[in-house]
Each structure stands twice: as C-alpha cells, then as structure tokens.
Amino acid sequence: MNTVLYKITDPAKQTAEVSAAAALLKAGEVVAIPTETVYGLAANAFDPAAVKKIFAAKGRPQDNPLIVHLASPEEVDTVARDVPAAAYALMKRFSPGPLTVILHKKDCIPPEVSAGLSTVAVRIPSHPVANAIIRAAGVPLAAPSANLSGFPSPTAAEDVLDDMTGRIPAIVDGGPSEAGIESTVVTLATDPPRLLRPGVITAEQLREFLPDLVVDEAVLHPLAEGKTAASPGMKYKHYSPKAQIYIVKGDQAAFFGYVKRNPAADALLVFEEDAPLCEKPCVTMGKTDEPLTQTGRLFTALRELDRIGAKTVFAREPSKEGVGLGVCNRLYRAAGFRFLNGPPRIIGVCGQTGAGKSTVCARLAAMGAQIVDTDMIAREVVAPGSPVLAELAAAFGEDILLPNGALDRKTLAARAFVSAASAARLSAVTHPAIVKIALQRANAAVAAGKTAVIDAPLLFTAGLQKYCAVTVKVTAPEETRIARIRARDGLTEAEAKKRVAAQAGEDALSEQADFQLKNYPPYEIDAQITAMCLL
Ligand code: TXA
Ligand code: MG
C-alpha cells in the first residue's frame, strides 16, 4: 500500500489536506492524524470494518479497546449513557484537551471499538487539525496511538512514517505533538473513580473534581499474575524500544557512580543537566525538575536510542510528582520494570546438575554477593536431634537413623525414591524447612546491605523463585553436564544419565528464569553477569 503524507501548512485553515483525510475516513479507511498528545491512528468509530483495519495496521491485540475522539464535549451523550455529573464537570474544565474519560457506552459503539467491554473511552482533542478532521469526517473517530503495538508512541509525523509506511493510506503531518505522552485516562464507570493512565493532566488536578479518585496499581507496577487489568492496555509490554532499558535508582551522583562501576551500558538516557557528565553516547529526556519538558521528549528519546543502535541503556529515574507520574508510568514500562542500584535484593540461581552453578556462584561471591547455599542447608536441617530428622524417621522408619542419631542417607534414599508419592513426602518434610532458613539468611544479608544469592538446584520446585528479584538458570549442553558429573562423582554413563533425568521437573520449570547463563565455551561468565546487571 502506498502511504501519502499530507503536510498541514496552516493549522488554522480548513485546508485541502483536512478534506482529503476526511474523505478517506468517510470511505472506511485508516488515517494517522496529529493530536496534542501523540499521533493517532483514526477510523470511523461507527464502522466495524474500518476499526478492524486499525488493529491490523498496528498489530494490536483484539482485546485492547480504542478511545473515541469527538469534536466537542456536547457530543458525549451521543456515544455514552448514564453520564455522571462529574464527567460534565471534568470536561468543562479539561476538554478539549489531553483527558480521556471512560463511561458506560451506548449501543452505537460497536464491540470492535470497546473490545467487548460495556464502557467507552471518550476524548475531545484540542489540536486544531484533529478537531477539523473530526468535524469534516462528521463521525466520532476511534484512534489509538499511531505506533506499531508495543513500540513508543509517535510524537511527530516522521515517527508514524517509520512505523506505518505501507500499512495505511495516509498520514496527516501537523507538526510535533505538544504534550508528548498520551492523554490522562480516568474511569468514571467504577466506584470510586480510578486513574488508569497518568498524563499531563495530573491526579491532583482531577481530585478537585473527584476527591475519592484512586490511582490504579498498574500505573507504577507490573500487573500481578492472574489479575485482570482495569485498562487492558496496561497488561501489554509497552512503549519499548528495541534497546534494553534499565532504570538506575538514586540521584545524579548515584547514577554516575553506578555507570562507572558497571560497564554494561552502551548508551545513557539522562536529563539535559547530566549530558556534560556522560562519557558514553547519551540521549536526553528533558530537564531534571521540569516534567513537562520530559513528556515532550520521552518517546522521541526512546526512538533515538534505537536510531543510534543502543543495545543496553541505563536511564535516570524521573520524579513521580505531578506530571512526573506520567513520565514514570511510560519509562517504567519501556524498561520492563527493570531497576538497578535499588536496595540490595535476592537473586536466585538454579541450574541442571553438572551445569556449574557453583562456579557461577563463586564468581558472584567474588563480586561482593553473599551466597546462601541450599545444599548445605539441606544437610543442616537433618542434623542429629533436629525436628526434621524426627519427622523423617516417623514417616520413613526409625531405621533411617544410625546408632549415633545421624541420618543414614542410603537407607532414606532407598525408602524415599521408590515411588513419586514417597519422594513427594520427603520433599514435603524437608523443603519448607530449607526454604525458611534460606530466606532467613538471604534477608539477613540484604539487611546488612549485601545482595544475596540463593544457590538452589530446586529453586522453582521449592517455590523459592517467588522471593527473588531476579532468577538465573545456569546451563550447559547435556554431554558436558554428564561428563562433569561422571568426573565429579565417579558415576557410570548410565548412572549420570539417570541423575539428569531425575531433574526433568525442575528443568522444565526453570525455563521461566529471567536469564540463562551459559557455562560453556567461550564461558565469559563475568561478562554475562555484568550484562544481566545482576549486581
Ligand atoms: O492521547 C491519547 O489518548 C492518544 C491519542 C491518539 O488520542 N490515544 C491513545 O490511545 O493513547 P491508545 O489506544 O494507545 O491507548 C488507550 C488506552 C489503552 O490502554 C486502552 O486499554 C485504554 O486506553 N482504554 C480504552 N478504552 C477503554 C475502556 N473502555 N476501559 C478501560 N480502558 C480503556
Ligand atoms: Mg498506545
């Protein structure tokens, strides 16, 4: 498909470009239009076939609803029902402008727009070109941001060209978007009302009209597993450039201290005041204490990082106050909620038998981490006279105890590893005790200001991953692992293979680990630890 660019020369006039865009929209086509927040990908909100083209062009998940753009606040009742007084009050104050209000929808809004929900998101943009196009089209326009799904929102026609060339028939270029981040989204369809997405209209401003407004959990946190998003858009990976971004917590000094200690970053995302101090390629995102300069720059900066080919980026953390909340909401998602230099934390290391977890843990210890060795704890909890040993004797027979009261491991193994049920019984007795002590030790290390590394062959089976900020699986090819355990424990090939097979359960679970650390040629273990920004 050929994509035409219509350049607006005088936004105050009803130009031929506006008419051409409106004609395409009336004909059921998709057109990218400028707004005061970000560029939108518009189609007739009453035309399901046209709306479907938006989803196709963006690659957007079908269950993520669209905002309906109107020409004036008076039109709200044409698409929404049971509109509360607070909605009119909000719109009187903030519309036209960067505010989206979620209301109960009327039947004229098709399920394609609302993604099957009973609500509709309504916004009246203040950009004169957006307004002129909606008026000329004569219908409400459904429009998400005009980026490919998951990527940063476009704040200039060039950004839309990058993402949408060949995918839509036309882009209207109305110059750079003023706000730079998408509208504030507030739902009045819930009680109390909820701020779903912060923008340049702040929570404090909304509270003048909505005193009981709550800020949704998902604004600053990843969606908890199994929870449904109040706003479907919040569950997706979002605003992400190709580069991996890490937010370094703390002030300017803490940031540059961290950058010096950890060479992993190939570019920095900083405030203007930081640029002179950068010894690596840097991209700026506005001024430290002026969040409105940050919203204006953020998405452009994220796109610039990809243009300069950055792979690993360390970013300054913006303030969360006022408009800053909107900046943090976007940057945290762009960074996939990866933070560095925060309070020390717990790292979980697992790995297949023979993969060489100990080697990796020894390197982490040399780099300053405190290792919590669960194999050692497993021996401690069955020390003579321990409650766990007494429980095992009750479960598997008194003869698993040697005359001196110590555990006879061979006898226990013979009893426990005859069936899955008896093996599970053994785990049910020992795992909770091991987990409890491992966490006590890890937390003590963290309290003392150190990063704790829990070295646990059964990290996932025992459920320890839940307590770890990051998990790492150490890997090596099967022949290497078999050769290593044969050499270490003097086993035959068949015995070694049996041991590897016994760990299949954990092996499958541990695929979920955040990182895989390759402990085989060319090794480079320290470099991998650094690239994962573990410490
Ligand atoms: O500034 C903006 O709002 C831009 C411009 C183009 O107007 N539009 C925009 O649309 O950002 P989009 O689709 O990228 O983001 C809309 C967000 C999504 O997170 C979506 O899930 C949420 O609003 N949303 C839309 N309708 C909703 C509804 N009925 N209930 C809850 N959330 C809704
Ligand atoms: Mg979007």
Side-chain angles (χ1 to χ4, degrees):
M1 185 188 297
N2 189 24
T3 303
V4 187
L5 186 68
Y6 296 128
K7 203 166 171 63
I8 303 284
T9 38
D10 182 357
K13 283 195 199 129
Q14 255 285 28
T15 57
E17 288 76 18
V18 167
S19 310
L24 280 169
L25 289 164
K26 281 195 239 183
E29 283 303 333
V30 170
V31 179
I33 63 168
T35 87
E36 72 280 18
T37 55
V38 300
Y39 274 67
L41 203 56
N44 177 356
F46 293 152
D47 179 349
V51 170
K52 281 191 180 144
K53 291 183 189 170
I54 296 179
F55 284 87
K58 271 186 73 98
R60 182 176 175 107
Q62 298 287 340
D63 63 349
N64 193 3
L66 306 178
I67 296 174
V68 172
H69 296 70
L70 304 173
S72 85
E74 284 77 56
E75 292 171 15
V76 165
D77 298 285
T78 61
V79 295
R81 62 175 171 81
D82 308 328
V83 180
Y88 295 114
L90 276 182
M91 282 184 288
K92 186 156 181 244
R93 169 72 180 82
F94 299 112
S95 294
L99 176 70
T100 296
V101 181
I102 294 173
L103 300 164
H104 296 289
K105 82 173 188 74
K106 278 196 168 158
D107 291 344
C108 59
I109 295 298
E112 285 76 7
V113 170
S114 64
L117 300 177
S118 60
T119 51
V120 61
V122 181
R123 166 162 132 74
I124 298 102
S126 61
H127 195 291
V129 174
N131 189 272
I133 292 173
I134 302 169
R135 283 182 194 281
V139 284
L141 297 181
S145 50
N147 50 287
L148 285 172
S149 195
F151 286 93
S153 295
T155 54
E158 295 77 59
D159 301 335
V160 185
L161 278 166
D162 281 351
D163 281 15
M164 290 294 150
T165 297
R167 303 177 77 90
I168 57 172
I171 298 169
V172 181
D173 180 356
S177 300
E178 193 192 329
I181 58 169
E182 310 87 340
S183 59
T184 302
V185 178
V186 60
T187 178
L188 301 186
T190 60
D191 189 19
R194 248 168 212 279
L195 178 68
L196 299 182
R197 183 175 73 183
V200 301
I201 294 173
T202 63
E204 294 74 23
Q205 283 177 293
L206 294 176
R207 284 210 176 96
E208 277 185 40
F209 300 86
L210 307 169
D212 54 347
L213 178 78
V214 295
V215 174
D216 198 90
E217 255 293 290
V219 165
L220 286 183
H221 302 279
L223 194 67
E225 220 178 294
K227 259 190 136 181
T228 32
S231 178
M234 288 199 247
K235 70 184 173 200
Y236 302 110
K237 178 171 167 267
H238 222 140
Y239 314 121
S240 309
K242 294 187 185 83
Q244 298 273 314
I245 297 188
Y246 295 83
I247 298 168
V248 180
K249 293 217 161 248
D251 59 10
Q252 189 189 55
F255 178 82
F256 284 108
Y258 191 87
V259 170
K260 247 202 181 77
R261 287 198 304 281
N262 191 323
D266 50 28
L268 307 175
L269 177 59
V270 297
F271 301 119
E272 280 169 33
E273 296 87 337
D274 306 320
L277 302 174
C278 291
E279 289 170 0
K280 295 188 175 197
C282 75
V283 169
T284 57
M285 49 170 176
K287 296 202 170 83
T288 317
D289 295 322
E290 294 178 32
L292 277 173
T293 64
Q294 296 166 17
T295 62
R297 276 284 305 163
L298 182 64
F299 287 135
T300 314
L302 294 176
R303 283 174 182 263
E304 263 172 44
L305 288 168
D306 281 346
R307 285 187 192 126
I308 66 170
K311 296 271 176 297
T312 303
V313 178
F314 288 174
R316 284 287 314 269
E317 184 178 32
S319 151
K320 295 195 249 318
E321 298 295 308
V323 174
L325 186 65
V327 179
C328 285
N329 168 268
R330 308 313 192 275
L331 185 60
Y332 285 12
R333 283 185 161 67
F337 295 95
R338 284 181 296 253
F339 297 97
L340 300 173
N341 211 26
R345 52 206 185 132
I346 303 175
I347 299 173
V349 175
C350 58
Q352 301 146 306
T353 176
K357 261 181 327 95
S358 316
T359 316
V360 173
C361 288
R363 288 312 306 151
L364 286 164
M367 292 165 152
Q370 174 77 49
I371 310 299
V372 176
D373 180 344
T374 56
D375 279 341
M376 208 158 84
I377 298 173
R379 285 192 290 273
E380 287 171 29
V381 297
V382 292
S386 67
V388 171
L389 193 54
E391 241 186 284
L392 288 177
F396 294 100
E398 290 297 325
D399 57 342
I400 64 159
L401 300 178
L402 295 167
N404 63 5
L407 173 65
D408 177 357
R409 291 177 178 279
K410 276 212 168 104
T411 308
L412 175 63
R415 299 270 157 80
F417 297 120
V418 286
S419 72
S422 57
R425 205 157 162 210
L426 173 62
S427 309
V429 175
T430 54
H431 284 183
I434 297 169
V435 165
K436 189 169 157 206
I437 295 177
L439 288 176
Q440 274 168 358
R441 290 188 189 165
N443 287 329
V446 168
K450 285 190 124 186
T451 291
V453 171
I454 300 184
D455 171 351
L458 298 178
L459 190 76
F460 285 84
T461 309
L464 268 165
Q465 87 285 359
K466 291 197 291 278
Y467 307 98
C468 299
V470 190
T471 51
V472 178
K473 177 178 186 169
V474 180
T475 65
E478 182 164 321
E479 339 56 281
T480 312
R481 286 184 280 125
I482 286 178
R484 283 179 190 162
I485 54 181
R486 287 190 64 184
R488 186 185 66 199
D489 300 337
L491 303 178
T492 65
E493 170 106 19
E495 285 165 337
K497 282 200 163 145
K498 208 169 150 197
R499 237 202 246 170
V500 167
Q503 288 200 333
E506 169 72 14
D507 207 23
L509 286 176
S510 60
E511 282 305 304
Q512 306 158 32
D514 297 308
F515 293 107
Q516 303 235 343
L517 195 153
K518 301 184 177 108
N519 188 5
Y520 50 89
Y523 294 105
E524 294 172 346
I525 290 172
D526 286 11
Q528 291 184 72
I529 289 173
T530 306
M532 292 168 198
C533 299
L534 293 182
L535 298 174

